[in-house]
Amino acid sequence: MNSRDNSTPLQGRRILLGVSGGIAAYKSAELCRLLVKAGAELRVVMTDAALEFIRPLTFQALSGHPVASSLFDGNSDDAMEHIDLARWAELILIAPATADLLAKLAEGHADNLLLSTVLATRSPLAVAPAMNQQMWAAAATRESLLRLQHRGVLIWGPEAGEQACGDTGEGRMCEPADLLDDVRRHFEPGPLQGRRLLLTAGPTREAIDPVRFLSNRSSGKMGYALAEAARDAGAEVVLVSGPVCLPAPAGVTRIDAVSAEDMRRAVLEQLPETDIFIAAAAVADYRPAQPADQKIKKSADRLNLELIRTPDILAEVAGLAERPFCVGFAAETRDLEHYARGKLERKRLDMIAANRVDGEQGAFDNDDNELAVIWADGSIELPRQPKTRIARELIAIIADQFSRRPNDD
Ligand code: CTP
């Protein structure tokens, strides 16, 4: 049925390129050229503001098709153009996507051809933001992005660097070649296609009494980034999450857990048919032996809490006779490799990703991370980079090692 050649994943793909009004619009011409060269069929829709930056003739020449811009332009005798385009496109990519456009997308506006096409489509939408660094950092833009992310909109970039306005910071549109890679990746069948991946993330909370608990500084960012990367690699992803302030990634099944025991129960419930298990949660190792039924009142000068071990979820899963490919994390403050190898062997894991959790560069609650990835007969150092990017690299390594395991079916 699927006769598509995977070496040219863009051949014949129908992509609608939306161009909004930013200085980066000139880069979209190169993107258009690269996409056409890669075999994609392109239609271009420009906003009125985009017309101020670049002429439609450029895109018409590059895509080989007339450029649409207005809902009611005299050139079109098709009142349903936005519906036709919305149905035609297999992917809508808006590059550049200005702050104004992102806000309108988040609000669901439809007062131009591009916005109404987006609203009328069932196909995936990707945006490549481009704006001044302060506008990118603005609370309103953050909120728009969060809403779009929540709806499953793919956000590609932006990059940090020198900006057209003279500022330096995050907000520059990704280079056309990088966006071409993103589009390719989007259409490629991922290495985890058809696989089920179960993952834990975030901290756990161990009750002391009804209002107090023991926990740790894990933000869940690394685990959530892994869930997204695994989804993008084609896996069916189930995320068992401790209490964090992150939205569930679109297309990922999230199951909430509070304590280590809750998390263990949820993991064991979800385990059947799982191919890969990643334990990224910072599970509390101990819990109060006897959580109080009522709030503990301050009476004595000294209070002793007796703690007992929580179940080791990862060790339990890795110890099962029928077990998935098991990946653990090692959070260490010293002798990283030494302790990580020890855990790999002791817990009988297939792979362990070790990170430092001390100091300002530590992994906890940080957007960046660096990892030493270790398995029985190999290791790779992943240098410091945003957690979203390091997650993609780690998932690629996991997929590769998973495919090499002796009993691969
Ligand atoms: N882990 C788990 N259940 C626990 C404790 C840990 O599933 N109760 C998992 C973590 O998700 C992580 C790995 O085990 O993938 C390593 O956890 P870590 O706390 O670093 O190591 P420990 O084996 O608990 O050893 P130590 O605390 O002595 O460093």
Side-chain angles (χ1 to χ4, degrees), residues 200 202 260 263 277-286 309-316 327-332 339 343 346-347 349 352-353:
T200 62
M263 193 171 267
F277 176 58
I278 307 178
V283 185
D285 287 326
Y286 291 89
R309 288 286 291 269
T310 55
D312 189 321
I313 305 167
L314 177 57
E316 184 170 348
V327 183
F329 268 77
E332 308 293 350
Y339 283 125
K343 276 175 203 174
R346 205 172 52 248
K347 297 198 190 190
L349 307 181
I352 194 153

Side-chain angles (χ1 to χ4, degrees), residues 185 190-193 197 199 221-237 249-250 252 278 387-399:
R185 249 198 305 272
L192 294 180
Q193 197 74 42
L197 186 142
L199 151 122
K221 283 180 188 162
M222 191 64 218
Y224 275 58
L226 283 167
E228 282 191 330
R231 173 203 65 195
D232 292 347
E236 174 200 346
V237 181
V252 166
I278 307 178
K387 282 180 174 170
T388 46
R389 214 166 299 155
I390 214 164
R392 272 198 203 165
E393 291 193 20
L394 181 56
I395 288 293
I397 298 169
I398 291 171

Side-chain angles (χ1 to χ4, degrees), residues 3 39 48 141 159 161 164 175 179 189 194 202 213 230 236 286 290-291 307 371 401 404:
S3 58
D48 285 346
T141 307
E159 286 179 349
E175 290 306 317
L179 289 173
F213 52 79
E236 174 200 346
Y286 291 89
Q290 287 280 300
L307 302 178
L371 290 176
Q401 289 298 315
R404 289 164 197 262

Side-chain angles (χ1 to χ4, degrees), residues 12-283:
R13 292 295 194 180
R14 300 184 306 275
I15 300 171
L16 183 94
L17 177 63
V19 184
S20 67
I23 187 71
Y26 77 94
K27 288 198 205 170
S28 304
E30 173 65 358
L31 174 61
C32 178
R33 190 184 72 79
L34 291 175
L35 287 168
V36 170
K37 196 166 152 226
E41 263 202 63
L42 259 270
R43 295 286 188 280
V44 180
V45 174
M46 300 173 74
T47 63
D48 285 346
L51 298 173
E52 302 288 330
F53 288 89
I54 185 162
R55 286 173 54 79
L57 206 58
T58 308
F59 288 108
Q60 179 168 335
L62 291 168
S63 70
H65 292 279
V67 170
S69 60
S70 165
L71 266 176
F72 309 107
D73 68 16
N75 301 329
S76 172
D77 49 12
D78 183 1
M80 286 292 137
E81 195 174 14
H82 61 294
I83 305 291
D84 293 340
L85 280 169
R87 286 192 186 137
W88 173 85
E90 289 178 89
L91 169 73
I92 299 182
L93 166 59
I94 305 181
T98 59
D100 180 62
L101 190 103
L102 293 176
K104 285 182 168 155
L105 282 174
E107 287 287 320
H109 287 211
D111 59 358
N112 66 36
L113 181 63
L114 181 56
L115 289 170
S116 45
T117 306
V118 168
L119 215 53
T121 197
R122 296 175 68 169
S123 298
L125 169 67
V127 294
M131 66 197 72
N132 161 272
Q133 48 92 17
Q134 201 59 55
M135 293 170 82
W136 175 248
T141 307
R142 305 279 92 215
E143 279 170 27
S144 301
L145 275 163
L146 217 58
R147 288 167 77 181
L148 294 173
Q149 244 166 351
H150 214 57
R151 280 180 221 154
V153 174
L154 305 163
I155 317 257
W156 291 340
E159 286 179 349
E162 211 172 297
Q163 302 201 299
C165 54
D167 280 7
T168 302
E170 215 177 343
R172 221 169 60 165
M173 188 172 99
C174 292
E175 290 306 317
D178 293 334
L179 289 173
L180 176 71
D181 277 349
D182 287 329
V183 176
R184 263 212 190 101
R185 249 198 305 272
H186 174 77
F187 282 114
E188 259 165 13
L192 294 180
Q193 197 74 42
R195 298 298 182 183
R196 180 180 157 94
L197 186 142
L198 176 63
L199 151 122
T200 62
T204 63
R205 288 181 183 171
E206 310 302 329
I208 297 172
D209 69 15
V211 294
R212 302 181 180 97
F213 52 79
L214 290 178
S215 192
N216 59 62
R217 289 175 53 204
S218 166
S219 63
K221 283 180 188 162
M222 191 64 218
Y224 275 58
L226 283 167
E228 282 191 330
R231 173 203 65 195
D232 292 347
E236 174 200 346
V237 181
V238 179
L239 171 63
V240 177
S241 175
V244 295
C245 302
L246 299 169
V252 166
T253 305
R254 182 172 82 179
I255 296 165
D256 293 325
V258 178
S259 66
E261 190 48 58
D262 284 348
M263 193 171 267
R264 171 184 174 270
R265 208 174 309 122
V267 164
L268 294 180
E269 247 172 55
Q270 294 296 325
L271 204 58
E273 308 293 321
T274 292
D275 297 295
I276 298 173
F277 176 58
I278 307 178
V283 185

